[in-house]
Amino acid sequence: MTDSPALAAAPSVAVIVVAAGSGSRLGHVEPKAFVLLQMRPLLDRALDSIFAMREAVQVIVVAPIDRLMDARRIAASVSARHEAPDTTTPPPPSPAATSTSIAAPPSRTVTIIEGGRTRQDSVDRGMSALMPSIDIVLVHDAARALTPAVLCDEVVAAVRSTGHGIIPGLPLVDTIKRIAHSGAILGTVDRSELSAVQTPQGFPRSMLADAHARAAQNGRLEAHTDDAALVADAGLPVSVIAGHPLAFKITTPEDLERAEAILHAATASPTPAWHLPRIGTGLDVHSFATDATTELWLAGLYWPGERGLSGHSDGDVVAHAICDAILGAAGLGDIGSVFGTADPRFTDAHGEIFLTETVRLVAAAGYLIGNVSVQIIGNRPRFSPRRGEAETLLAGILLAPVNIAATTTDALGFTGRGEGVAATATALLYPAPRAGRSVGQPAAPAPLPEPGQTPDLNWEA
Ligand code: CTP
Ligand code: MG
């Protein structure tokens, strides 16, 4: 629909993924889109399908205000999974094929937006972020986490060919009765006229924008539970195409069980990974600062009179190695990808800031820390006199036992020459138990640390 050569590379399709609801019927501590489904948040799984669509799209994720950073991290990790294989190096010659060409995946532009009080508010906010090149808009519930990409492609194709609003729907299989409040049956509804509708719902951009503007003007925005109703209410055409059984919405705990069962059946393994504890390792190195006034911070402690380590933050190699070990064990990336190595908010930040946020993130991902073991490698400072102090401090932050060993390298290497300090860490995590689940079922997120324990990092999208 966009045929300007100047905009040839810009996407003409946007998908607004609404993920800002609380999930009250699911009953988890965290918002529904961040609840884990076989170790990955629902939002991660929903975005996986969007990133697998055939054409370039703008992806707009609408998330709760206090989850914007988490949404961005999830989108970044989905994006990394879908990145093009490196085609700069020619593939090795294969006897079966004389040349191999790998199609690069279509480009994705991701925008993270703060959600509203109702679903329609959230859609409205998402529309405010549409790129000028967009002329077809899909609205999709993050809660429909298993929706196949092909359904999204089919909705786009149908909007393009008809110029109508298009929604996927499934025929009803049960007999439907109209009943009175008392429960008395008033009649049987002709189910051949009914469709259980799903998302993504797709519309020409102008149609959706007009319908939203009109409903907002008439104060009827909240009278509709989906965008099709809103567009139809504005007198604009909307048609139903065949939906997909996997596009069901996860609303209740039973829906989540169903999704887990589907995934489990698809990846049937005798020892599902969620049974197991998980380990991670971390390594960090910082050189001694050339400025003799730089303070030394190591293992969360200030070391008066010792030369400090250089670095963007306070250079605490112990804290940083522990963060990498814990994040790695939880499959959440590493300290650079989570906190940003050049982020000005972390200039001179002490290890405690990173560690506290790391604990919060792994708790939200459904893990508790079993223990952490650290090895410091360096000539200075002499660590043993303060070992107990450091272990107690770090154990208090991580809410788990911490052991710290220190060694020199017999004058060998950069630590032996006194150029810097290194630390390695190993962390063991285990799935947080959840009431009402038997052993062997996926971990549920643990209660988050008390608000006072979590520093306000003022994340912004
Ligand atoms: N949604 C949203 N903003 C809101 C409310 C809902 O973005 N203010 C999103 C949800 O995140 C979900 C989709 O709309 O992906 C469908 O809504 P629903 O299944 O009702 O989710 P919740 O409102 O989160 O759940 P509940 O109604 O049980 O609280
Ligand atoms: Mg709701």
Side-chain angles (χ1 to χ4, degrees), residues 300-319:
L301 298 176
Y302 170 52
W303 298 74
E306 294 282 351
R307 186 181 282 269
L309 294 165
S310 65
H312 171 60
S313 62
D314 69 355
D316 185 339
V317 289
V318 170

Side-chain angles (χ1 to χ4, degrees), residues 59-72:
V59 184
I60 300 171
V61 179
V62 189
I65 184 161
D66 57 346
R67 292 297 183 135
L68 297 177
M69 184 60 190
D70 289 340
R72 183 164 30 166

Side-chain angles (χ1 to χ4, degrees), residues 134-453:
I134 300 301
D135 50 24
I136 292 179
V137 181
L138 268 54
V139 181
H140 186 45
D141 295 333
R144 298 180 190 271
L146 301 185
T147 304
V150 67
L151 187 63
C152 307
D153 289 329
E154 283 167 4
V155 170
V156 171
V159 174
R160 206 166 257 147
S161 66
T162 61
H164 290 183
I166 295 291
I167 62 176
L170 290 178
L172 277 85
V173 287
D174 294 318
T175 297
I176 308 291
K177 302 285 186 194
R178 273 190 307 109
I179 55 166
H181 282 303
S182 64
I185 291 174
L186 302 175
T188 301
V189 180
D190 177 5
R191 71 177 178 217
S192 67
E193 291 185 350
L194 299 179
S195 177
V197 303
Q198 306 175 319
T199 73
Q201 301 192 343
F203 309 90
R205 176 183 183 158
S206 55
M207 202 180 262
L208 187 62
D210 286 355
H212 268 257
R214 213 179 295 188
Q217 219 166 31
N218 302 337
R220 288 184 52 76
L221 203 52
E222 289 174 21
H224 304 289
T225 54
D226 72 352
D227 300 280
L230 216 138
V231 171
D233 197 45
L236 301 165
V238 183
S239 319
V240 175
I241 62 166
H244 197 290
L246 286 178
F248 69 93
K249 183 156 72 77
I250 295 172
T251 305
T252 62
E254 292 69 36
D255 296 327
L256 191 61
E257 303 276 352
R258 179 180 164 201
E260 280 167 355
I262 290 169
L263 288 177
H264 181 50
T267 57
S269 145
T271 52
W274 64 71
H275 285 216
L276 303 174
R278 294 173 61 113
I279 59 166
T281 59
L283 165 71
D284 195 32
V285 176
H286 281 276
S287 59
F288 282 113
T290 44
D291 177 358
T293 64
T294 306
E295 294 178 346
L296 177 68
W297 285 81
L298 191 66
L301 298 176
Y302 170 52
W303 298 74
E306 294 282 351
R307 186 181 282 269
L309 294 165
S310 65
H312 171 60
S313 62
D314 69 355
D316 185 339
V317 289
V318 170
H320 300 174
I322 293 175
C323 286
D324 269 356
I326 295 174
L327 291 169
L332 292 174
D334 62 17
I335 191 167
S337 60
V338 170
F339 296 101
T341 45
D343 193 321
R345 287 170 300 181
F346 301 120
T347 307
D348 298 332
H350 291 310
E352 187 172 346
I353 299 279
F354 299 103
L355 289 168
T356 308
E357 178 64 3
T358 297
V359 171
R360 192 189 73 77
L361 288 172
V362 296
Y367 293 101
L368 296 174
I369 301 172
N371 75 302
V372 170
S373 180
V374 180
Q375 174 75 61
I376 298 175
I377 307 147
N379 296 348
R380 295 199 64 79
R382 228 166 62 71
F383 193 74
S384 55
R386 301 189 71 186
R387 177 197 315 278
E389 197 187 338
E391 288 176 347
T392 306
L393 174 79
L394 295 175
I397 298 170
L398 301 178
L399 309 173
V402 176
N403 184 82
I404 309 176
T407 187
T408 60
T409 48
D410 217 6
L412 296 175
F414 67 88
T415 52
R417 291 190 297 273
E419 292 168 9
V421 180
T424 64
T426 306
L428 179 94
L429 305 188
Y430 62 97
R434 180 163 83 188
R437 276 185 183 273
S438 56
V439 172
Q441 288 190 296
L448 299 181
E450 292 300 308
Q453 288 178 259

